[in-house]
Each structure stands twice: as C-alpha cells, then as structure tokens.
Amino acid sequence: MTTVLTKSFPQEKQPLTQPAPDKRRVLIVGGGFAGIAAARALKRADVEITLIDRRNHHIFQPLLYQVATAVLAPSEIAAPIRQLEAKQKNLSVLLAEVKGINLGARTIEAICPEIGSRKLQYDFLVIATGMHPSYFGHDEFAQFAPGLKSLNDAETIRTKILSAFELAESTNDEKECARQMTFVLVGAGPTGVELAASIAQLVSVTLRNNFRKIDPAKSRIVLLDGGTRILPTFAESLSRKAAKRLTKLGVEVSTGVKVEKVDDQGVIAAGIRIPSATVLWTAGVSASPVVKMLGTQTDRAGRAIVGAFMDIPEAPNVFVAGDAAMMTQDGHPVPGVAQAAIQQGRFVGQVIASRVRGHKDGRPFRYRNKGNMAVVGKNFAILEAGHFRSSGFVTWWVWAALHVLALPQLQNRFRVQTQWLWSYLSGQRSSRLISENPRSSSSSS
C-alpha cells in the first residue's frame, strides 16, 4: 500500500484526484456498511469517487464478537476495501486518516501513511465513519476494559480471555486464580449478550479437559447493565427469554447496576468490588471525531443531526450516513444497525447521482426495518420484526443463514459456514491464538 501511494502522488500538495473535466468529485470517508453502500450506488454515475479509510479492510461487525471468542479468524469476517476498484472503474481507494474538513473551500485534509498530509477537493462529501466505544466521561477505563469495534479490539479481547486461563493454570494463589477466571462485561446490549453467551460456551465446552489444575467451567461470567433489563431495543418478552437463556448458560445477569470504577484489579459496581482480570466494555458508543470537523449540530453521542436527505444544513452537498448520523423517524431515532447503515448509504449515493444528472431530489429517506436479531449461544436466537416475535432453535438457524449470506465475499461465506459446521459438531474453535508481544533484541528464541 505504501509503495502504491508513493508512486501515485507527487510530493507537492496537489489535489489527490484529477477527474475528467466534466466529472464531479465525490469523497466518501469510511469503508463500513454505509460508505461502501454509497460507493456502490454511484457505480453508474458520471462521477469520480475516492473512498478513504484508515484501515484497508471492511469488517462484518455483527460477527466481530466471534473473533473475540476464537470462533472465527479475523480474515473470515473481513474483506479488503481495495477490491472494489476491480469492479468499479469510477472508484479509487485511499488509505488515509482525515484530520480536517473545510466546508467553505470544499476540501479535506488527509494524512497518508509514510506520505504525509494531502488536500483533497470535493463536490460531494459523504461522512460514514461509524462509532467508537464511549466510556461516558471515564476514558481512564479504556486501558483496563477494551471495547469491540475493530479487528485489533477483537484480537486484544481474545488474547485477554485465553491468557486468563493460562495465568490461572500457572498460579498457586487461589484468589488470583479466581480473579483470572472471572469475566465482567459492562453493557447488556446485543454485543454484550452475544459476547457473554459465547464466552460461556467457550469455558463449558471448548476448553473442557484442556487444563490439569483448573476447570474452566467454573469460571464466573458477569454481565452488568445500568438499565432495567438486557436488550432494551427488543420487546420485553424477548428480553426475558434472552436473560433466562443466559442464566442457563451460567452467566450472572445484573441490571440496574452502575459501574463506578474499572482498574487493573476489576470493577466496582454499586459499591461492590468484583475482582476480575478481564473486563470488557460493551456499554456505549460515540461518533467518530471526524463528525465534529463538520461544525454541525450533534446529539449527546456526537452524531450529526441530519436532514430528510441525510445532508447537513451548513452544506447541502455534505452527507452523513450510518452510525455517525442521527435521524428520527416516527418520533424514534433510526437504530444504529447494519441494515440502517446500508439503506442510508445507498440512499445518499442515489441522491448524489440524481443531483449530478440535474434532477430534483425525490422522496426523503425512510428506514425500512427488516427485523432485529440477537443470538444467545448455540441453538438460541431472538427475532423481532414489527409485531412478529420469535425465539429458539429455528430462529437461530434463520440468524445463521442470514449472516452467512450477508458476508462481503463468497470466500467469507464458504469459510464461515465450514467453520461453524465444524464448531457445531465438535464444540471446538479454530482461532485459539494468543497474540505475542514483540520480542526485544536481547530476548532468546
């Protein structure tokens, strides 16, 4: 990637893209669901697109927790963004991080690895940068309680979980052993519930008979949330069923509990210390700092408050889509889920294509809810679609089929379904790897 960038850009600070005389320039910041959907919707438009992301890959976020719990390898849920260039001739991909936006001059400043600062001009700008973990004003918690938003996060969590058992096996201190085998998850939304259930099955099935001194099945898994129930975006009946399932798997569910402190020894919640070597943050999210660069109105989570066509009032040709956007519909906010991001991204691409052709904007954006799902361990999932609600084994199979079909590449689908089948039949997980720290030059091999 570095070599390509070095060859492609001269050292003078010229605009990155040089479109044909009549081509309009579209910059898309973010290679997630919304950004890629916007780019694809512009495939036949008479524009030059530059898709910018600080990572070279797109992540299928709904299965990220399975990387964190060693079910899947990182490559099985990710795909290189650059492969879009092979299928879409009006698209270029740039590995860079946005550091500034000038709405008046219609430029952004991007930092390319090993190259430095570049100024990019645009006619249309799409911000689709997604969300980051939010610690609700306690950023000091981050070093002790990683969130789950990237492949690096997932591998960090996987290493913490697997290392905890290795340390428990090696210590002779019973209290330290118990601390290592206690896992605390803060936040009982879909990510927290799915992660807790997956850890529960890891300790009770996958790691069984793998240790001489410890029994992983005796691990303590605690799921904490400040709300009155888990999965608050689902119907209460489904929330109760999910909580019952978690309890059956051995997860301790505590709601109405506020976490007051997270440190290297565990957490303090409702005034009670829970010793733990592995605290995972699945509680809250905030928008990417890129949104603040727009200077537009935001909500408490830092998301841009957008209009009916996903644009901002300060600049009608600047759009925000996906998790970085805040839009209400029928008195309720559009949820920050993958299907909403895809619909918004596709809509923004269609609006830009229409404006390029000189047509008036059509109907405003309207989110079509195709249903909301969460999986709670093996053989159990919940589904809510309008007034329809279901749970159990059949719903779990529907969840599995839909997620395989939604993966970005054919090879992802093949590898994931093969891995899932093997794991389902054997109870084993293929990616039980503990990441190594870099060795110093004086270390022995």
Side-chain angles (χ1 to χ4, degrees), residues 205-261:
V205 179
T206 308
L207 299 182
R208 185 175 52 197
N209 301 324
N210 275 214
F211 296 88
R212 290 287 177 262
K213 292 174 58 179
I214 64 170
D215 180 3
K218 294 181 179 179
S219 299
R220 184 185 181 194
I221 304 167
V222 184
L223 180 62
L224 306 175
D225 197 276
T228 57
R229 61 186 177 92
I230 69 170
L231 299 173
T233 58
F234 286 82
E236 189 170 352
S237 60
L238 293 177
S239 174
R240 287 197 300 268
K241 289 180 179 180
K244 184 178 179 180
R245 183 69 176 186
L246 284 172
T247 301
K248 186 176 180 180
L249 291 173
V251 177
E252 300 176 28
V253 179
S254 297
T255 55
V257 175
K258 182 180 179 181
V259 171
E260 298 150 8
K261 186 177 182 180

Side-chain angles (χ1 to χ4, degrees), residues 320-367:
V320 185
D323 291 347
M326 169 60 183
M327 170 181 272
T328 56
Q329 179 175 300
D330 301 329
H332 301 282
V334 174
V337 294
Q339 59 174 309
I342 292 169
Q343 290 179 30
Q344 290 178 348
R346 186 183 300 126
F347 175 84
V348 167
Q350 292 168 348
V351 170
I352 293 174
S354 178
R355 292 183 183 182
V356 167
R357 290 193 296 266
H359 298 167
K360 292 183 178 180
D361 294 335
R363 294 180 179 178
F365 174 77
R366 186 161 186 83
Y367 170 57

Side-chain angles (χ1 to χ4, degrees), residues 73-92:
S75 61
E76 291 170 342
I77 67 160
I81 299 172
R82 186 162 291 283
Q83 70 178 7
L84 293 172
E85 287 194 6
K87 300 179 181 179
Q88 191 164 337
K89 301 303 180 185
N90 65 346
L91 173 68
S92 298

Side-chain angles (χ1 to χ4, degrees), residues 21 54 86 98 120 137 179 201 252 261 355 360 367 371 418 442:
R54 59 192 180 90
V98 172
L120 292 78
R179 190 179 78 88
Q201 292 197 302
E252 300 176 28
K261 186 177 182 180
R355 292 183 183 182
K360 292 183 178 180
Y367 170 57
T418 301
S442 60

